[in-house]
Amino acid sequence: MSTRVTKKLVTPFETCGATGAVLLVNLYDPQVPTLRLFLEALERAKLPYLITGNKLDLVDPRKVQQVQKELGQEFPVMSLLTGENVPAVVAEIEQRFPQGSRIVILGIFNSGKTSLIARLTGKDLRIGDIPGTTLEFEEHEWNGRVLIDSVGQVIDVNRPLMVGYDFTGCETPEEMFEKALRLEAEGILSSLVTAKEGFLQALALISERLERGGKIVTTGAGASALVAEEIAGQCYETGVPCLCITNNMAQALPVSFAKGTAEEEGGLARFIADQVTEKDVLIGISASGGTGFVYEAVRLAREKGALTVAITENLDTPLGKNAHVVIKSNAKPEGPSSTRIQTAHLAIGHALVCILAALRGITAEESIRYMLPEKIATKKMGIK
Ligand SMILES: Nc1nc2c(ncn2[C@@H]2O[C@H](COP(=O)(O)OP(=O)(O)OP(=O)(O)O)[C@@H](O)[C@H]2O)c(=O)[nH]1
Ligand SMILES: [Mg+2]
């Protein structure tokens, strides 16, 4: 019923035989543009649905109103953790979907889909804050109905030309190019609101650390490793001491061969945290917020007294929870291959380093000096 596409999942919920759906909204990190995709797909499948907000314990009433406004409808809200308003939501599900219904529980990862099913059925199910705890569709009997647990990421397979971008409607490479660049720009601009508060907080705290002689350490995996490297490079061009450590094996070689580090994520996390002192800043970058060595390095560095900053798309994740400050992008939805999130993270990183430079009064001339090659005498080839 679910098809694995590398790390991500296709959810053709139209084929799971559902007669109704509950769309769970994580009020703490609602990700409205992705929820709109879910709603569009529900409308297309003509499936009766009920929206309900979860994690009420983590937000104030203003946030609830804001999410409801953005989604253009009111819906019941609850906390599966504290139990607040859960009976009312359950009653609404029962009333809405008669006995014999097959109800698919939809929502972004960590919205509490499996938690809801566990609560209703009394079963002991796998629940956790790592993105993608549930990786298969699974059916559970409840009260004369079937509840179908689903995966927390929808890749819309009805858009066959969607890899990184949805090219539906584009006929020529020129149109595709224009669309791709517009979508990249949108990913940056829609992060303006979600990232601003964390960005300004991080900026002030990082400035303090740098003034007191601290350095920046950046880390990330895969595409986020490239973002981490670029931030470190920009730091160097503006005179900020910065070290970048990723899971790039070429970079980890001396350590990995000698000590076995990087064979498992815990070792790499320890290695990264070892390079961070209590004076320093660790910036952990992870689009998902669930990269093991990144969130663990952040936890360890924080324990040592370092300032920790997360750049991520997903707030309600181990990385989001472990860092002192979260700079949240809002570039989703993506196709199976994410591009806009990294573009947004690069823009955030560039802004961070350039504003730090401006605040420190670094001039263009000084910056050029940081970039000039500096020659020092070196031995002749072959002399040992
Ligand atoms: N604070 C808070 N946490 C909650 C609530 N409901 C669930 N959680 C937590 O949120 C995390 C995700 O819960 P799951 O039920 O695994 O979420 P899911 O939607 O099934 O996630 P995936 O399987 O990854 O798609 C877990 O750590 C839960 O304990 C709530 O009402 N409040
Ligand atoms: Mg689950």
Side-chain angles (χ1 to χ4, degrees):
M1 239 177 254
S2 66
T3 315
R4 241 190 136 152
V5 181
T6 60
K7 280 192 295 184
K8 301 191 180 177
L9 292 128
V10 173
T11 62
F13 62 85
E14 288 104 322
T15 64
C16 70
T19 58
V22 172
L23 177 60
L24 266 188
V25 175
N26 182 347
L27 295 166
Y28 182 57
D29 186 9
Q31 310 202 0
V32 170
T34 306
L35 289 177
R36 289 203 185 106
L37 264 195
F38 274 101
L39 288 172
E40 271 173 35
L42 283 167
E43 301 282 352
R44 207 173 37 231
K46 298 195 171 51
L47 214 56
Y49 63 86
L50 180 77
I51 306 182
T52 173
N54 185 31
K55 307 207 180 186
L56 186 56
D57 55 293
L58 296 179
V59 296
D60 60 30
R62 256 181 320 155
K63 176 84 179 186
V64 175
Q65 274 179 0
Q66 185 202 327
V67 178
Q68 292 187 331
K69 199 169 145 212
E70 281 179 54
L71 277 172
Q73 48 189 309
E74 284 192 12
F75 47 80
V77 292
M78 65 178 169
S79 167
L80 285 166
L81 185 77
T82 64
E84 186 181 350
N85 210 32
V86 173
V89 171
V90 174
E92 195 147 344
I93 296 174
E94 277 179 316
Q95 192 203 341
R96 188 70 190 268
F97 306 110
Q99 296 228 338
S101 295
R102 292 173 56 81
I103 311 161
V104 63
I105 314 296
L106 297 174
I108 297 164
F109 54 70
N110 285 348
S111 53
K113 300 179 294 295
T114 309
S115 300
L116 174 64
I117 295 172
R119 170 106 191 184
L120 291 175
T121 61
K123 285 190 188 174
D124 183 17
L125 302 173
R126 246 166 64 89
I127 288 164
D129 64 359
I130 295 275
T133 301
T134 307
L135 287 174
E136 296 287 343
F137 281 46
E138 213 176 276
E139 301 193 359
H140 304 272
E141 297 280 338
W142 169 66
N143 203 2
R145 300 154 176 89
V146 174
L147 301 173
I148 307 166
D149 200 356
S150 69
V151 296
Q153 179 145 3
V154 164
I155 305 294
D156 193 344
V157 285
N158 293 311
R159 299 175 203 225
L161 295 183
M162 177 142 179
V163 178
Y165 316 109
D166 178 10
F167 282 135
T168 308
C170 294
E171 302 211 329
T172 63
E174 186 182 339
E175 283 171 13
M176 290 182 189
F177 175 67
E178 282 180 14
K179 184 150 189 192
L181 262 64
R182 273 183 222 296
L183 286 171
E184 293 282 319
E186 272 171 27
I188 296 176
L189 290 177
S190 58
S191 302
L192 236 172
V193 175
T194 57
K196 196 188 276 178
E197 195 184 325
F199 182 93
L200 294 176
Q201 237 178 33
L203 186 74
L205 294 171
I206 294 172
S207 292
E208 266 174 40
R209 296 273 168 153
L210 294 179
E211 267 168 38
R212 284 192 265 133
K215 67 176 179 300
I216 294 178
V217 178
T218 59
T219 188
S224 297
L226 295 177
V227 177
E229 281 169 18
E230 172 61 7
I231 293 177
Q234 289 286 336
C235 279
Y236 236 74
E237 293 186 359
T238 54
V240 173
C242 186
L243 178 67
C244 172
I245 309 171
T246 71
N247 65 344
N248 178 338
M249 287 307 280
Q251 193 189 44
L253 280 183
V255 179
S256 57
F257 282 142
K259 312 258 191 223
T261 305
E263 282 174 5
E264 34 84 24
E265 302 223 354
L268 182 54
R270 250 186 343 271
F271 174 66
I272 295 166
D274 279 346
Q275 318 311 315
V276 183
T277 75
E278 77 287 348
K279 279 196 203 162
D280 299 336
V281 183
L282 177 61
I283 303 181
I285 304 149
S286 169
S288 69
T291 306
F293 76 86
V294 175
Y295 74 69
E296 179 63 3
V298 164
R299 189 186 69 77
L300 292 171
R302 183 175 178 160
E303 229 171 59
K304 289 172 78 174
L307 169 69
T308 55
V309 176
I311 303 180
T312 183
E313 180 84 1
N314 304 306
L315 196 60
D316 193 12
T317 53
L319 180 61
K321 291 174 187 171
N322 287 355
H324 288 105
V325 188
V326 181
I327 305 179
K328 181 190 148 52
S329 58
N330 190 32
K332 279 202 270 189
E334 293 272 20
S337 171
S338 75
T339 58
R340 272 172 282 174
I341 297 177
Q342 277 77 37
T343 303
H345 289 182
L346 271 177
I348 288 166
H350 285 154
L352 186 67
V353 182
C354 291
I355 297 172
L356 281 171
L359 295 177
R360 281 160 37 250
I362 302 290
T363 62
E365 210 175 343
E366 275 169 308
S367 175
I368 288 169
R369 246 185 285 131
Y370 288 121
M371 288 182 236
L372 284 178
E374 290 168 64
K375 287 196 177 155
I376 54 167
T378 190
K379 55 130 190 160
K380 286 278 179 261
M381 270 277 266
I383 301 288
K384 296 282 190 296

